[in-house]
Structures are given as C-alpha cells and as structure tokens.
Amino acid sequence: LVAILHQLYISGRLALLIHLFESMHPPLTLHKHPMCAEIIEQFQKCHVEHPVGKFFGECTDLKIKLDRCFRQEKALKRKANFEESKKFKEQLRAFRKENAVSGSQ
C-alpha cells in the first residue's frame, strides 16, 4: 500500500485521488433537492444493491449525474436569489427617495 501511494505521489495522481475523496456531495435529502430527486433515489439504490462495488466505481456514473444536477440546481437558485435581491434593492431605493423627498418638505 505504501508503495502504491508513493507511486501515486510521484506521478501527481495522489492529489487527484485526495480531491475525489474530499469532494463529497451535500446530504441527499429529497425535500431539499426536488430537482434531483430521481437521481438521488437511483444513487441510493445503487449503493444498497452494490455495497462493495460502490467503492470500485459501480455507482460513479450516477454520482457524476448527481453532481451535474446539483450544479444546475445551485445555478437556478443563485439566479433566483439575484433577481430577488435586485427587486429588494429597487424597493429600498424607492423608499429612501420617498423619505428624502418627504423629509425635505
């Protein structure tokens, strides 16, 4: 095992291996990720059906799909939050302008 890790370190692949283990997905709760619910269920089913194979790439394709879905979901949430913040800023500007006009009278 030490020889394998040393060889991975020399080839520069140890960092990649560490990154793969560190890049975990968020908790797989269906109510928090309705857009990805189907893929989450498939991924969890794969882990149940392949308790050992999951460590050797049996569920990797589903993990990749899940990561892509989470990225899309996050992008949609980010866009919605940005739009909401723009509306709030406009309301705040209007409120301040109204108060400045009524305060100077």
Side-chain angles (χ1 to χ4, degrees):
L1 180 63
V2 173
I4 292 171
L5 289 174
H6 181 67
Q7 192 63 25
L8 286 171
Y9 177 75
I10 291 171
S11 67
R13 294 184 182 165
L14 184 61
L16 175 64
L17 185 65
I18 291 170
H19 173 72
L20 288 174
F21 281 110
E22 288 178 348
S23 62
M24 296 293 293
H25 48 74
L28 300 178
T29 52
L30 297 176
H31 71 278
K32 287 189 177 183
H33 305 284
M35 196 172 130
C36 306
E38 185 178 326
I39 300 171
I40 290 172
E41 289 173 347
Q42 292 172 358
F43 185 68
Q44 289 174 334
K45 182 179 176 186
C46 182
H47 274 225
V48 169
E49 291 176 354
H50 306 285
V52 176
K54 68 184 177 185
F55 296 110
F56 298 100
E58 190 71 37
C59 306
T60 302
D61 292 338
L62 288 170
K63 170 75 167 100
I64 292 169
K65 284 183 186 178
L66 192 60
D67 289 341
R68 286 182 184 148
C69 185
F70 285 152
R71 268 187 246 123
Q72 289 174 349
E73 187 178 59
K74 188 173 184 175
L76 287 174
K77 285 182 181 180
R78 189 180 311 118
K79 185 177 180 178
N81 287 340
F82 180 69
E83 294 298 324
E84 188 176 325
S85 74
K86 279 179 25 180
K87 288 179 187 175
F88 179 74
K89 285 178 184 179
E90 288 175 17
Q91 290 174 349
L92 188 60
R93 275 191 216 113
F95 178 76
R96 287 180 177 165
K97 188 176 182 179
E98 183 181 306
N99 281 346
V101 170
S102 64
S104 63
Q105 292 177 356

